[in-house]
Amino acid sequence: MHTRPSFDQVYMQFAETIAQRSTCKRLQVGTVITSSDYRKVLAVGYNGNATGLPNTCDSDTPGNCGCLHSEENAVINCDSPREIEKFVFVTHLPCIMCAKRLINLGNVKRIIYKNEYRKKDSLEILRNAGIEVRQFL
């Protein structure tokens, strides 16, 4: 019998697939923003250099490679009104600056991430903003 995947599984797999477009040498990250009823993909993003610039990192220094983060690109790509409730699926726990960007996107209700990030300071700020955060297992 066919086992039907959950929406969380489908969108996390989508985030992992879109992460494969990343040109970052150190870490490939993908983000998918959906409506809270899962019916619409509102935006996607992956980490990499700005459009029109070379598809490579500016530096080999971890945390300073010059790539835009996947969440940052997804926020830039999201033209959905602030009043629309949003779920965010991301392959890695967002950094604190991307957490702030997601808060400012407006009406993000849930962030589901798969892999831990080297820093976990975003968890507290997201939860303080009333956003549910959970790891995809």
Side-chain angles (χ1 to χ4, degrees):
M1 182 172 140
H2 174 70
T3 303
R4 194 170 174 207
S6 69
F7 281 116
D8 285 1
Q9 289 171 315
V10 168
Y11 289 124
M12 188 56 71
Q13 184 174 6
F14 187 9
E16 291 177 313
T17 299
I18 202 76
Q20 293 174 27
R21 295 218 14 104
S22 170
T23 55
C24 182
K25 296 175 190 174
R26 187 178 66 83
L27 186 66
Q28 287 71 45
V29 182
T31 300
V32 177
I33 302 174
T34 71
S35 58
S36 62
D37 64 2
Y38 299 104
R39 293 180 184 269
K40 293 182 180 180
V41 173
L42 304 175
V44 299
Y46 52 89
N47 57 326
N49 215 336
T51 303
L53 297 180
N55 283 326
T56 185
C57 296
D58 296 338
S59 161
D60 290 333
T61 306
N64 197 25
C65 71
C67 289
L68 294 168
H69 290 193
S70 73
E71 304 94 326
E72 190 170 17
N73 277 322
V75 167
I76 290 167
N77 293 332
C78 188
D79 60 4
S80 185
R82 291 180 61 82
E83 61 268 12
I84 300 295
E85 291 185 349
K86 301 163 190 76
F87 288 170
V88 178
F89 298 85
V90 62
T91 57
H92 294 74
L93 177 66
C95 71
I96 196 157
M97 292 307 294
C98 284
K100 291 178 179 183
R101 290 178 182 104
L102 290 167
I103 291 167
N104 274 0
L105 180 60
N107 233 344
V108 171
K109 296 296 181 187
R110 180 182 303 154
I111 296 173
I112 299 119
Y113 70 95
K114 186 167 185 180
N115 302 294
E116 295 287 355
Y117 183 61
R118 59 190 159 90
K119 296 180 181 178
K120 295 179 180 56
D121 47 358
S122 63
L123 285 170
E124 184 178 359
I125 194 167
L126 289 165
R127 290 182 176 138
N128 285 342
I131 298 173
E132 175 192 345
V133 183
R134 62 180 161 91
Q135 189 169 14
F136 179 84
L137 302 173

